[in-house]
Amino acid sequence: MTESTSPKYSFVIPIYNEEATLLELYRQVCAVINQLDGEAELIFVNDGSRDRSLALLRQLHQQDPRICYLSLARNFGHQIAVTAGLNFVRGQAVVVMDADLQDPPELVIELIAQWQQGYDVVYAQRSARHKEGWFKRMTAFVFYRILKRLADVDIPTDTGDFCLMDRRVVDILNTMPERNRYIRGLRSWIGFAQTAVPFERNPRYAGDVKYTFSKSWSLALNGLVSFSRVPLRLSTYIGLLSAALSLLMMLLVLYWRIFVPHSPLAGLTVIIMAIFFFGAVQLISIGILGEYIGRIYEEVKGRPLYTLAEVAGCLPEPSTSQSATPDPRSLRLNGHDRLLRRG
Ligand code: UDP
Ligand code: MG
């Protein structure tokens, strides 16, 4: 692949402490890209790894010119790492996949077949999750179904970020400035022809899960809050319900006061219950409101989505795409150009 011609396929793979999987991943992905009908580039995004991942990426880049990598200046999280990779892709079809081989690279052949049929987004849908703990399976099952009911856009159940997107979808995704990113939701929001390819999710090849419970929880909240206003409405409904309840209580207390003067129920118990109940309702409502306001605050600060420490192999020039929208890389890279290192 020369620098002047763009590859047909791009792979974006976020890496966070994946030294144990990287070489096997490279081997398996190479086996797939060698079968493709066009050139491919692999864009690895090092998301502030503290192990030898970056050293391995440098080494792979030296060996194989198809390997590009970005290294973020710290750990920004999976969604931002994928976003950074997408900002640099040059291919006509872009595959996003995890590094731990839970997303089987050979499925990419099927994703590409659907893309060639004319689909702009081909997402992999999990039909089974092998050897994942019951807690993860159960929470994921419940969450995806709640999200499907509540979200403004139709976000398919049991889909992750493993997908293939056409260049025009990636160009639009790259113009979306929001920082609380839930890529699988944004991908659905964009529209165009989308289809699913079912697959069985393998266990992680090696290393520990990098999505801690708190990271998964934040991702789930992001998905819900970014794509639904139902939680806000819910607090209004809870408020209305508790107002109706309090009216009932008032009538009861009045009744007891007038007709049953020595009723113990009219005393302290009722007052304490009411204080706790309405206190809880108010705190829940403020909490829900806070989730939305916190995100507004994050958005208005307008910071760049990530900071780059090192880039190799990826062209810093604008992409070859025909999109009329501004190139997001020029926005993201502002102030970091000094740090760019051409491979
Ligand atoms: N990852 C990342 N930054 C993070 C956490 C994870 O780039 O802060 C990457 C990780 O290296 C992997 C992918 O995101 O390629 C998915 O992570 P993991 O396998 O731990 O998540 P799960 O499979 O449990 O969703
Ligand atoms: Mg995984």
Side-chain angles (χ1 to χ4, degrees):
M1 187 177 74
T2 61
E3 292 231 316
S4 54
T5 56
S6 293
K8 185 169 181 184
Y9 300 101
S10 298
F11 287 66
V12 172
I13 308 179
I15 303 287
Y16 180 52
N17 297 341
E18 299 285 7
E19 63 178 5
T21 69
L22 246 174
L23 296 179
E24 179 59 18
L25 170 77
Y26 171 65
R27 197 187 63 74
Q28 293 198 18
V29 173
C30 278
V32 170
I33 60 179
N34 290 339
Q35 301 171 40
L36 300 181
D37 61 338
E39 303 261 20
E41 63 176 357
L42 303 183
I43 300 187
F44 290 98
V45 185
N46 173 41
D47 186 17
S49 299
R50 272 174 290 222
D51 64 356
R52 287 175 47 248
S53 298
L54 181 58
L56 287 172
L57 288 176
R58 287 188 187 125
Q59 195 183 318
L60 287 175
H61 170 66
Q62 294 295 326
Q63 287 170 13
D64 186 343
R66 296 172 300 181
I67 305 270
C68 319
Y69 69 85
L70 314 173
S71 186
L72 306 187
R74 65 169 173 85
N75 177 245
F76 279 87
H78 173 235
Q79 300 288 298
I80 298 294
V82 171
T83 303
L86 291 175
N87 287 166
F88 281 82
V89 294
R90 290 172 292 160
Q92 291 308 308
V94 178
V95 174
V96 175
M97 60 187 289
D98 285 356
D100 57 358
L101 295 168
Q102 284 199 284
D103 302 338
E106 59 281 4
L107 197 79
V108 171
I109 306 280
E110 284 181 53
L111 303 184
I112 289 174
Q114 294 294 324
W115 174 64
Q116 285 167 339
Q117 297 290 313
Y119 286 101
D120 294 285
V121 174
V122 189
Y123 50 84
Q125 193 164 33
R126 298 156 193 161
S127 54
R129 290 164 168 261
H130 291 301
K131 296 194 186 129
E132 281 186 308
W134 67 268
F135 182 74
K136 176 135 189 171
R137 284 207 311 262
M138 198 248 315
T139 45
F141 181 88
V142 172
F143 168 72
Y144 283 119
R145 272 135 198 96
I146 292 178
L147 186 66
K148 189 160 177 69
R149 277 199 84 87
L150 300 190
D152 306 330
V153 287
D154 189 16
I155 303 175
T157 50
D158 304 318
T159 57
D161 294 321
F162 184 25
C163 70
L164 179 148
M165 290 179 277
D166 186 81
R167 175 87 237 172
R168 63 173 172 167
V169 174
V170 175
D171 282 341
I172 296 171
L173 201 56
N174 280 342
T175 62
M176 293 176 152
E178 58 204 88
R179 58 211 51 249
N180 290 293
R181 297 180 91 77
Y182 188 65
I183 293 173
R184 56 203 82 164
L186 297 175
R187 188 178 73 199
S188 300
W189 182 92
I190 290 172
F192 296 115
Q194 308 211 354
T195 189
V197 170
F199 80 112
E200 297 198 356
R201 197 154 205 241
N202 297 322
R204 191 171 234 289
Y205 173 74
D208 299 327
V209 174
K210 308 301 177 313
Y211 254 97
T212 53
F213 177 75
S214 75
K215 280 187 178 174
S216 300
W217 174 248
S218 308
L219 182 71
L221 265 185
N222 257 345
L224 212 59
V225 173
S226 305
F227 287 93
S228 176
R229 271 170 300 173
V230 174
L232 273 181
R233 226 170 290 151
L234 207 67
S235 66
T236 314
Y237 295 151
I238 299 174
L240 284 174
L241 192 76
S242 52
L245 271 179
S246 68
L247 200 74
L248 201 75
M249 281 306 286
M250 260 158 49
L251 290 176
L252 266 178
V253 172
L254 272 178
Y255 171 80
W256 288 326
R257 185 100 185 107
I258 297 165
F259 298 106
V260 196
H262 299 298
S263 166
L265 278 177
L268 218 53
T269 321
V270 174
I271 295 172
I272 289 174
M273 273 168 57
I275 289 173
F276 277 109
F277 178 72
F278 292 112
V281 166
Q282 280 170 19
L283 285 179
I284 291 169
S285 304
I286 293 170
I288 294 175
L289 209 63
E291 287 296 331
Y292 286 83
I293 293 175
R295 278 166 180 75
I296 298 171
Y297 179 55
E298 284 299 315
E299 299 295 337
V300 297
K301 278 193 282 192
R303 289 182 188 157
L305 287 182
Y306 52 84
T307 46
L308 277 173
E310 198 173 319
V311 179
C314 308
L315 285 179
E317 289 89 33
S319 71
T320 50
S321 96
Q322 301 301 307
S323 164
T325 47
D327 180 359
R329 291 177 303 174
S330 56
L331 304 174
R332 312 263 183 271
L333 292 178
N334 253 344
H336 300 292
D337 309 52
R338 263 175 316 113
L339 300 172
L340 297 186
R341 228 178 58 172
R342 288 287 295 280

